[in-house]
Amino acid sequence: MRNKLISTMLEVQRKVVEPDVYRLLMRLDDSAMWGSDAERTEVLLPAVVRVLGMRGDVEARRLRSFRLADVAVSVIAPAALDSAKLPEMASRLRALVPITDEVTATAARDECRKVYVDVDDAADAYAATYAAACAVAAAAADAAAAATVDADADAADAAAATYAAASAPEHDVWRSHVDALLVAAGLADEKGA
């Protein structure tokens, strides 16, 4: 269900775009959550244009992996937990310090894993479907903590994949999370900034 213009532009730029950014944009382009193809183009086209010249800065890639993991852990996974009517567990993730380095990424990963176990132990079939969002957030934090060559791409994948782990949120919530991911990746400016 890709937008032909977006996917073609990304494929043409693939060798000059950072792997994490490429994978994030491809996942977002693949999403079935878009209200229309026009909406997908309106949101993703500026990001695709903005990625030109982003390849090669290892430190920027490392910092981007922390920002993406932070969005997955502190925004997306808690929203999934709220949807599952588990606000206490969502609060645990929101209370974490922002992921800015390997130490905070490791701490976030560990807490996500604990929340995952707690949700899974709840033995509530409805809530258990949302536990996967915590596992995905943990994977994002783990990838960021690893600080390896592929960690940034893994963090981007995990952050963007959180929706595959839980039932689809309301479109407006999903869009706000897409916006947060694009800002974290440096592909969009914060609203009102």
Side-chain angles (χ1 to χ4, degrees), residues 1-66:
M1 187 160 189
R2 286 186 177 158
N3 176 297
K4 193 152 184 77
L5 173 64
I6 300 297
S7 59
T8 301
M9 288 181 72
L10 282 171
E11 284 303 320
V12 167
Q13 297 180 37
R14 187 173 192 164
K15 291 188 191 295
V16 296
V17 173
E18 290 290 358
D20 62 327
V21 172
Y22 174 82
R23 287 164 64 174
L24 173 66
L25 289 172
M26 289 304 282
R27 277 194 181 265
L28 292 175
D29 189 29
D30 285 344
S31 176
M33 289 294 298
W34 294 105
S36 68
D37 202 41
E39 178 191 29
R40 179 190 330 249
T41 302
E42 178 186 334
V43 173
L44 295 182
L45 187 58
V48 170
V49 171
R50 197 167 182 167
V51 300
L52 292 172
M54 286 184 79
R55 189 156 183 118
D57 188 340
V58 175
E59 181 61 15
R61 208 175 15 190
R62 190 175 80 76
L63 294 174
R64 189 168 46 247
S65 73
F66 295 139

Side-chain angles (χ1 to χ4, degrees), residues 56-179:
D57 188 340
V58 175
E59 181 61 15
R61 208 175 15 190
R62 190 175 80 76
L63 294 174
R64 189 168 46 247
S65 73
F66 295 139
R67 290 191 308 267
L68 289 166
D70 190 60
V71 169
V73 170
S74 65
V75 177
I76 298 172
L81 292 167
D82 283 338
S83 293
K85 312 248 184 299
L86 298 167
E88 322 74 44
M89 293 182 196
S91 293
R92 286 170 51 187
L93 297 183
R94 285 188 184 104
L96 293 169
V97 297
I99 297 173
T100 57
D101 56 25
E102 289 82 2
V103 173
T104 53
T106 300
R109 176 205 60 206
D110 293 347
E111 185 61 21
C112 285
R113 288 178 177 168
K114 289 176 189 172
V115 169
Y116 172 80
V117 168
D118 291 348
V119 172
D120 200 42
D121 286 348
D124 178 333
Y126 175 74
T129 61
Y130 290 86
C134 294
V136 172
D142 195 33
T148 64
V149 174
D150 291 328
D152 52 330
D154 293 341
D157 265 356
T162 303
Y163 290 101
S167 294
E170 294 293 322
H171 182 263
D172 291 345
V173 172
W174 178 80
R175 267 302 306 279
S176 72
H177 294 170
V178 167
D179 292 343

